[in-house]
Every structure is written in structure tokens, then in C-alpha cells.
Amino acid sequence: MLIRLFALFSGTLPSSLGTGMTSLSLLTLHFNQLNGTVPYGLGGISYLLEIELNDNGFTGTLPADLANCTDLEVIRMDSNQFTGRSWMLNG
């Protein structure tokens, strides 16, 4: 299963995003006008291979539970307004 939205959607992501989506492998929401924080819970998506949230207006910190997505091959989060040190920088 995959979700792709490129049509200048705006607003925030629902806090339930990822709930019940255990077979989701690709989440592409780049080049929209999304804002707010990335919801905690995306780390529960067992088969997530790619997540692309770049070129939006997301703020806050990345949810630490994304570290549970051990099969992630592509993470694109650039061109947002994230703050703090990312868990992704820990080697």
C-alpha cells in the first residue's frame, strides 16, 4: 500500500495517521503546504520503506518512534522547520 499526495494540500496531518496501516510501504507527502507536527505513531508501520515529507512547513521534532521502522531505506524531511536534535543523527 502507498499514499502519495502532491497537489498542494494544506493543513495538519491527523494524529491517527499510521494507525491500522501496517502494510503501508511508501508515504509521500512532499511538495505540499502541510504544517504542524509529524504525528507520533508512524513508527508502528511495520513495512514502511520510504517516507518523504520534504518541502512542507512541518515544525517541532521528529517522532522518536520512527526509529522503530527498521526497514526504512529513504527518509526525506528537508525544507521544513524542524527543531531540536534529530534521533536520526545518532550513529
Side-chain angles (χ1 to χ4, degrees):
M1 177 192 316
L2 57 97
I3 295 176
R4 290 186 173 179
L5 299 174
F6 313 108
L8 291 179
F9 286 94
S10 61
T12 60
L13 295 178
S15 60
S16 61
L17 183 66
T19 304
M21 296 181 172
T22 55
S23 63
L24 183 69
S25 61
L26 173 63
L27 179 62
T28 303
L29 302 173
H30 60 277
F31 298 107
N32 285 288
Q33 295 175 358
L34 298 169
N35 56 46
T37 59
V38 175
Y40 188 84
L42 292 180
I45 304 174
S46 308
Y47 298 104
L48 192 60
L49 300 174
E50 294 185 29
I51 183 167
E52 298 179 349
L53 303 178
N54 53 297
D55 295 285
N56 280 289
F58 290 114
T59 57
T61 59
L62 295 175
D65 71 332
L66 279 175
N68 296 333
C69 298
T70 56
D71 293 333
L72 269 176
E73 297 173 2
V74 175
I75 300 174
R76 295 207 48 211
M77 303 283 185
D78 54 290
S79 299
N80 284 290
Q81 287 92 42
F82 291 117
T83 57
R85 181 173 167 83
S86 171
W87 54 267
M88 292 188 306
L89 297 177
N90 297 330

